[in-house]
Amino acid sequence: MVRDSVTRDRVETLLRSVPGRFGSVLHSERVAARLGLWLGISFTVAFATGLFSHFMQHPPGRLAWPSRPVGLYRITQGLHVIGGLATIPLLLAKLWTVYPKLWQWPPFRSLSHAVERGLVLVLVGASLFQSITGLLNISYVYLWPFSFPAAHYWTAYLLYGALIIHVVNEWAKVRRQLWTREQVEPREVVTARRRFLGTVAAASGLTVLFTVGETYAPLSGLALLAPREPHTGPQGLPVNKSAAAAGVTTVIHDPGYRLTVTGAVRTPLSLTYDDLLRLPQHTVRLPIACVEGWSAEAEWSGIRLRDLAALAGIAPDAVLTVESLERGGGYRSSEVRPPHWNDQLTLLALRIGGAPLAPDHGFPVRLIAPNRPGVLQTKWVSKVVAA
Amino acid sequence: MKNGVNAPRLLGYGLGGALVVTGFAGLVVDAHLTDPLGWALWFGGLIVAHDGVLVPLVLLTGVAVGRMRSPSPVRAGLTVAAMLSLLALPMVTGLGRRADNPSLLPLDYGRNLLVVLGLVALGTALAAIAVRLRARRRRG
Ligand code: HEM
């Protein structure tokens, strides 16, 4: 009995000593506060731009996003993905800094301490989940059974909720560490901290430098570690879903092809490819801005969607649905709300850079509109329905 | 919880708690899309891989580097190199390539990662030399 309790005391002492055995002065409140501040800012940007992307794809009720500025979605989603990648070094550094706390003993001092640690677990798990599955997703490595957007969307709420609670709990420490000047610290501690934070910032900065060219073309030569090159693809433009993957390689060349305009119209239309070519053609420069963060600009020519709507006698406040020849798939049709289809930049495009669309870019006809995610720029269009 | 209770604190807990509940509820309601079991395996698996494998490896490396004569540049160089390698790894494996779409993962990522790591190694070597020179000047 006595022997037992002695052993237990020894184990207890050993366990309590674990957090103190991490020698580096960088496992400090000050470093954690600094990295925490940076992470808080970048998670806020990620949450805001992510929600923007979600509600652009799933607008609640009659909400109609503006069609300008032309490049808004390109910028917000670029910030989301490139900024998200740049967050990974901050996250790993922060978790390393606070790692000794993982081994605190006793693990739970009280019920509220247990709840607090449970929520920290949610925060850590959600942060790793968002950034690592996000990285895999933009690398086209789908090693999971769930739908990435759905899992990523709901996990974002977990992350941000747990983050708010964590910030509330730690705010006093952050204030003490970052906004209270009179601290006496040994020189080496200050130097070590500056070096460490500088290293982490460098890793973050290089992450941006080597990837941002996938959306900011002037830096495309430096995009050594980006999953896309904005000039690579048929007609010098990247492709997300090929005609083969969509199963439309034959049907798009069917001589019986018609573009029909139906629904709430005065005059239903049924137009051949040649009919479309005979309508007034317009040329615009617009980016394709993918949900995965890359974007590429091209010169599109075709007919204005609003001209077609006028021809069919569609009311200016109607909602249009553009449908593809593709049989299934989540993106076979997309809704175009009034601000977008009334915009003169919104085309049913027939050409890129003067040449007919390549099959992978949506031959015979595709939608191209400003300020809109690429998944909603429907390809292989055969039908416009007004409601 | 601690430091007393005040209005901003309660507001924070309320808002944060509501978001956490929304997140879990959404994962369950959309179960046909989120596959809660698969989600949980990834969620937990990443925590275990991070806390149980990645960090211990980093700590061991840190101990080894700490025994070197001028550890700081090496520590910084290895940290940056490891983080950029993690970023590149999914692309280097080429698991995401698809025959029907050559515009996806169009680069030679293995070679590019080597170029990047080479640059980091060069920077590290220059920094290490600078540290030695400065130390010698101070002594001499
Ligand atoms: C390395 C980090 C990250 C990467 C690479 C990344 C990547 C992505 C991608 C590719 C999408 C588009 C999904 C789609 O519509 O198909 C997306 C959407 C989104 N992201 Fe992230 N993300 C990251 C981090 C985060 C973080 C930290 C948060 C939350 C704080 C977040 C919140 C969201 C939200 C709410 C959406 C909208 C999902 C939807 O459309 O339903 N992301 N992200």
Side-chain angles (χ1 to χ4, degrees):
Chain A
M1 269 337 255
V2 176
R3 169 95 42 92
D4 259 13
S5 84
V6 169
T7 321
R8 208 178 316 124
D9 279 356
R10 278 211 193 119
V11 172
E12 177 86 17
T13 315
L14 181 72
L15 287 172
R16 279 179 190 279
S17 76
V18 169
R21 285 167 190 257
F22 293 87
S24 172
V25 295
L26 296 168
H27 296 295
S28 73
E29 209 174 277
R30 186 89 181 235
V31 174
R34 175 66 61 193
L35 287 170
L37 183 69
W38 293 353
L39 270 177
I41 293 170
S42 62
F43 278 161
T44 301
V45 171
F47 193 45
T49 52
L51 288 180
F52 180 67
S53 177
H54 177 83
F55 288 111
M56 220 175 210
Q57 293 176 65
H58 311 279
R62 298 284 291 181
L63 172 73
W65 292 101
S67 59
R68 310 288 178 99
V70 171
L72 181 61
Y73 182 76
R74 170 189 220 183
I75 291 170
T76 61
Q77 199 58 11
L79 259 180
H80 186 84
V81 170
I82 307 298
L85 297 177
T87 305
I88 297 178
L90 307 184
L91 176 64
L92 296 178
K94 165 92 186 194
L95 293 179
W96 176 84
T97 299
V98 298
Y99 188 70
K101 290 182 165 279
L102 177 64
W103 301 104
Q104 59 189 280
W105 199 265
F108 309 116
R109 290 191 305 270
S110 62
L111 181 62
S112 74
H113 185 233
V115 172
E116 185 179 339
R117 291 203 76 193
L119 283 164
V120 167
L121 186 75
V122 171
L123 177 60
V124 172
S127 309
L128 288 170
F129 185 90
Q130 292 299 77
S131 42
I132 301 303
T133 62
L135 168 65
L136 289 169
N137 182 67
I138 63 157
S139 311
Y140 308 98
V141 179
Y142 310 126
L143 297 173
W144 43 69
F146 43 78
S147 142
F148 173 78
H152 191 72
Y153 177 66
W154 292 118
T155 308
Y157 287 93
L158 279 190
L159 188 162
Y160 209 74
L163 177 63
I164 292 176
I165 293 172
H166 179 65
V167 169
V168 169
N169 285 332
E170 306 293 348
W171 190 245
K173 290 186 201 160
V174 174
R175 276 202 18 203
R176 184 165 69 230
Q177 292 299 338
L178 302 186
W179 289 291
T180 322
R181 275 278 143 238
E182 78 297 350
Q183 284 211 4
V184 225
E185 288 179 302
R187 260 276 285 288
E188 318 85 74
V189 174
V190 178
T191 315
R193 184 173 62 238
R194 293 226 172 108
R195 273 204 193 113
F196 179 60
L197 293 175
T199 303
V200 176
S204 238
L206 289 172
T207 299
V208 172
L209 189 71
F210 292 133
T211 54
V212 74
E214 71 166 353
T215 179
Y216 182 64
L219 291 184
S220 63
L222 283 174
L224 297 175
L225 304 180
R228 294 291 189 149
E229 200 290 311
H231 310 289
T232 301
Q235 300 177 303
L237 199 64
V239 166
N240 226 1
K241 191 166 194 180
S242 70
V248 296
T249 34
T250 324
V251 63
I252 57 174
H253 295 294
D254 179 355
Y257 169 83
R258 294 289 183 281
L259 175 72
T260 58
V261 183
T262 59
V265 298
R266 201 159 4 88
T267 328
L269 304 176
S270 173
L271 304 163
T272 66
Y273 186 64
D274 287 334
D275 292 339
L276 293 173
L277 283 174
R278 277 193 292 270
L279 289 172
Q281 304 288 306
H282 297 271
T283 298
V284 299
R285 243 196 118 65
L286 284 179
I288 283 271
C290 184
V291 290
E292 289 151 13
W294 60 268
S295 72
E297 233 168 77
E299 195 183 87
W300 310 88
S301 322
I303 55 181
R304 285 185 179 146
L305 189 50
R306 70 175 195 193
D307 290 354
L308 197 70
L311 217 57
I314 293 173
D317 60 349
V319 172
L320 306 185
T321 303
V322 174
E323 293 183 18
S324 172
L325 289 166
E326 193 182 352
R327 284 281 171 68
Y331 302 113
R332 68 164 298 277
S333 76
S334 71
E335 225 177 53
V336 193
R337 298 195 173 193
H340 272 87
W341 73 256
N342 284 295
D343 192 312
Q344 59 174 13
L345 291 178
T346 300
L347 301 186
L348 285 177
L350 302 162
R351 297 169 183 279
I352 295 176
L357 297 176
D360 286 350
H361 287 310
F363 180 86
V365 179
R366 83 168 300 167
L367 178 69
I368 185 78
N371 190 25
R372 190 171 163 91
V375 287
L376 301 184
Q377 312 277 28
T378 307
K379 303 199 273 195
W380 313 295
V381 172
S382 70
K383 206 173 188 183
V384 177
V385 184
Chain B
M1 291 181 198
K2 41 189 185 185
N3 307 347
V5 176
N6 53 34
R9 185 167 274 265
L10 280 182
L11 191 72
Y13 288 151
L15 185 62
L19 287 176
V20 170
V21 170
T22 306
F24 278 122
L27 285 167
V28 172
V29 170
D30 272 356
H32 62 292
L33 293 172
T34 59
D35 190 356
L37 183 62
W39 177 90
L41 283 175
W42 270 87
F43 193 93
L46 283 170
I47 297 178
V48 170
H50 177 271
D51 288 355
V53 181
L54 184 65
V55 178
L57 283 178
V58 170
L59 292 169
L60 286 177
T61 314
V63 170
V65 173
R67 303 222 164 108
M68 297 173 73
R69 207 144 38 106
S70 46
S72 314
V74 179
R75 206 178 269 141
L78 281 179
T79 305
V80 172
M83 286 175 171
L84 291 174
S85 302
L86 177 70
L87 167 73
L89 194 65
M91 290 168 242
V92 172
T93 64
L95 286 171
R97 289 227 157 83
R98 280 207 309 262
D100 65 295
N101 188 356
S103 77
L104 182 151
L105 302 174
L107 310 175
D108 182 345
Y109 296 97
R111 187 207 60 189
N112 286 1
L113 178 60
L114 287 180
V115 170
V116 167
L117 293 182
L119 289 173
V120 174
L122 186 69
T124 307
L126 291 177
I129 293 171
V131 169
R132 295 263 169 95
L133 287 182
R134 222 178 299 146
R136 194 171 304 162
R137 209 173 310 140
R138 225 178 290 141
R139 259 183 273 126

